[in-house]
Amino acid sequence: MSRWGKRKDEGGFASDGDSDHGGAPAKKNARKGSDDSDDIVVCDLSKTRRVKVRNFQGKIMVDIREFYYKDGKELPGKKGISLSMDQWKVLRDHADEIDNAVMENT
């Protein structure tokens, strides 16, 4: 692997987790802008931050991101992260450990 290759962690997951897992296609949401992507708003974290499940280039992604409006369209901002299904499963599996670490530090 070249020096610019993706580094893998102990579990063997690459940083962007490009594996392709099937799943039911996402449903269209009435709140979305006029673009043609399918996405479901799971929850609003604040006025501009939300969690969405999106179908991006045929892959299901969990998108935690800031959004903004321009010309009547809701657009994703730079601040955020899109997690592949592999990455989402790893995060979900470690939710208890994350909660414990937060409780220890508050």
Side-chain angles (χ1 to χ4, degrees):
M1 179 182 284
S2 72
R3 95 177 220 211
W4 302 109
K6 294 178 184 169
R7 192 170 14 171
K8 294 185 179 184
D9 63 10
E10 292 175 15
F13 295 102
S15 62
D16 66 351
D18 285 337
S19 66
D20 188 22
H21 283 46
K27 297 178 184 176
K28 290 190 178 185
N29 184 343
R31 289 185 54 189
K32 71 179 188 118
S34 61
D35 68 348
D36 293 330
S37 67
D38 293 337
D39 53 342
I40 300 170
V41 175
V42 176
C43 68
D44 291 333
L45 301 175
S46 69
K47 184 178 177 183
T48 59
R49 292 182 183 156
R50 39 187 77 90
V51 179
K52 289 187 176 187
V53 176
R54 323 175 85 181
N55 185 344
F56 181 72
Q57 296 181 348
K59 295 180 182 178
I60 304 298
M61 307 292 280
V62 176
D63 200 24
I64 305 168
R65 184 163 305 280
E66 286 188 356
F67 289 82
Y68 66 98
Y69 288 91
K70 182 176 180 183
D71 300 328
K73 294 182 182 180
E74 181 184 74
L75 301 171
K78 289 182 182 181
K79 295 181 181 178
I81 186 168
S82 292
L83 300 173
S84 67
M85 286 295 94
D86 284 343
Q87 293 170 329
W88 170 248
K89 288 175 185 175
V90 170
L91 180 64
R92 184 186 63 200
D93 291 344
H94 289 86
D96 290 335
E97 295 170 38
I98 295 167
D99 283 338
N100 291 338
V102 168
M103 293 303 291
E104 289 175 8
N105 289 304
T106 56

